[in-house]
Amino acid sequence: MRKSPKKKLKEILMQKNAGVCCVCKKRGQGLHFHHIDGNNSNTVEGNLAVLCVRDHDFHHRPQVYDEPNHTELTESEIRDFKISWEAFVYEASQDDTKVLAVLNAYGDYDKIHSLRLIFQWENEKVEFERVYHLLDGPMDKLIDKALEEISWLGKDIKLVLIDNPLEIEYCPCCNNSYSNTINSGFIKKLNSGSWEQDSICTIYINPEQPSLAITMFLQNEMIYSGSLHHCKNQKLHFVCDNFEESIVIDSVPSVRTQATKSIEKIIRDWEPGQIFIGTGDPDKPQIINGMILPRCWERKK
């Protein structure tokens, strides 16, 4: 026999899910209370998921939806969505929340045509996102919508703006565009209350080869590492934890100056409390003052 949840239980579930579907998180949708295990008499909090009308129907009748989708709404998937979303809503409401909002802009400096607002965990997992396009309204109104979305979920959620307009890249599997998240180490920097006192940047310069390594530490935990070297194809090749880039070397200024500027940008982004630069024996490097790169960086490959 079907047993509907009582009013008090519905209120609890709506509060824990911020009043939206735990799958799509779209606001202003009609909602159902779905029995996850399919047993309509098992009406307990742990077995009830808040689903919008569409996702509830998609679970029961997936065959009528002809859409490329990475996720099938099976019992297991719905339970995972419920657990993750309710945990995210709770964390977002905390005074010292560890979740983050990231705003991506697409287009170029002369014309931004769309925005993507990403809500992510500290470990870089994306919980959900919103997309805004100029077809939906003028840019200032779209920005207002994005800011309102953040305040809806939590008053202390930090907002990070990606400083460069992005090109749109698509997943070859489902043709959905990729999301650009913030590195988990950088989130630890943002959430640290003692970054200036407890952060250290180390740079090791290879004295014999055109290469160097850079690391960031927070209270003895390494939260970022990267390397830069001069490639045979006359490019500066930079690799870090989740990013790789080949930088074409210009004729002027010198290669060493261009390499130094690349590292200085990283330092500006991270703003470490202390910086130590070493060279020589990698096990016992000699501390030096300033980014002094050896002449081997200028040799033609």
Side-chain angles (χ1 to χ4, degrees):
M1 180 181 295
R2 180 179 181 83
K3 184 179 178 182
S4 298
K6 294 183 178 179
K7 180 181 178 182
K8 182 62 175 178
L9 181 54
K10 289 181 179 179
E11 291 174 351
I12 291 172
L13 287 166
M14 290 295 283
Q15 181 180 12
K16 287 191 172 183
N17 287 267
V20 297
C21 170
C22 68
V23 176
C24 69
K25 289 88 174 176
K26 292 180 180 178
R27 300 165 69 183
Q29 304 292 305
L31 299 173
H32 290 164
F33 295 94
H34 169 67
H35 294 79
I36 299 174
D37 65 1
N39 181 358
N40 292 336
S41 65
N42 185 17
T43 307
V44 296
E45 183 182 331
N47 191 49
L48 290 172
V50 179
L51 297 181
C52 67
V53 174
R54 183 193 179 284
D55 284 324
H56 196 193
D57 188 51
F58 180 50
H59 166 70
H60 289 292
R61 302 190 306 155
Q63 69 279 1
V64 303
Y65 290 87
D66 184 20
E67 297 180 10
N69 199 307
H70 280 306
T71 304
E72 295 180 3
L73 289 183
T74 62
E75 174 184 333
S76 175
E77 294 288 351
I78 291 175
R79 193 177 300 279
D80 288 344
F81 273 118
K82 169 186 169 67
I83 293 172
S84 183
W85 176 234
E86 290 182 359
F88 193 89
V89 171
Y90 174 80
E91 179 60 35
S93 69
Q94 301 305 297
D95 293 336
D96 190 24
T97 180
K98 299 296 188 294
V99 301
L100 194 71
V102 183
L103 189 62
N104 293 190
Y106 297 90
D108 53 46
Y109 286 106
D110 294 326
K111 190 68 172 180
I112 301 298
H113 57 71
S114 54
L115 304 172
R116 186 197 300 269
L117 180 64
I118 301 167
F119 290 87
Q120 67 169 86
W121 291 88
E122 191 174 56
N123 64 3
E124 298 181 60
K125 175 190 174 185
V126 175
E127 187 64 27
F128 78 105
E129 57 187 45
R130 300 280 194 249
V131 175
Y132 310 93
H133 195 277
L134 283 179
L135 291 173
D136 302 320
M139 185 55 63
D140 59 339
K141 298 298 183 183
L142 299 183
I143 293 174
D144 288 343
K145 284 184 179 180
L147 295 177
E148 193 277 330
E149 195 77 14
I150 298 171
S151 62
W152 158 70
L153 199 54
K155 61 182 178 63
D156 289 324
I157 297 176
K158 295 183 179 66
L159 172 63
V160 177
L161 304 176
I162 303 300
D163 56 2
N164 294 315
L166 303 170
E167 294 184 5
I168 300 177
E169 297 181 273
Y170 298 97
C171 170
C173 174
C174 65
N175 293 323
N176 289 330
S177 56
Y178 288 121
S179 301
N180 191 29
T181 57
I182 298 298
N183 174 271
S184 59
F186 200 78
I187 297 177
K188 291 181 179 180
K189 169 194 181 297
L190 294 173
N191 289 330
S192 170
S194 59
W195 178 256
E196 289 187 6
Q197 295 77 30
D198 297 332
S199 61
I200 296 175
C201 170
T202 66
I203 302 172
Y204 173 74
I205 300 172
N206 190 324
E208 299 178 355
Q209 299 291 333
S211 64
L212 59 84
I214 180 170
T215 55
M216 299 288 172
F217 292 87
L218 178 61
Q219 295 179 337
N220 298 321
E221 177 190 1
M222 187 173 71
I223 61 173
Y224 174 87
S225 63
S227 64
L228 179 71
H229 67 272
H230 185 178
C231 287
K232 293 180 179 179
N233 59 1
Q234 289 300 298
K235 292 182 179 181
L236 293 174
H237 188 199
F238 178 75
V239 180
C240 66
D241 301 326
N242 62 347
F243 178 76
E244 184 171 352
E245 181 181 22
S246 289
I247 306 167
V248 177
I249 297 173
D250 295 326
S251 56
V252 291
S254 68
V255 177
R256 284 180 289 180
T257 298
Q258 293 175 63
T260 299
K261 287 183 176 180
S262 295
I263 299 301
E264 288 175 344
K265 182 182 184 304
I266 296 171
I267 294 173
R268 287 196 302 272
D269 289 341
W270 283 88
E271 301 176 306
Q274 298 182 74
I275 302 174
F276 296 98
I277 304 174
T279 189
D281 185 345
D283 295 323
K284 295 182 180 181
Q286 174 189 352
I287 302 300
I288 59 176
N289 294 321
M291 282 281 295
I292 305 173
L293 301 182
R295 293 190 60 81
C296 60
W297 283 80
E298 304 295 343
R299 296 172 189 161
K300 298 291 184 181
K301 302 297 177 180

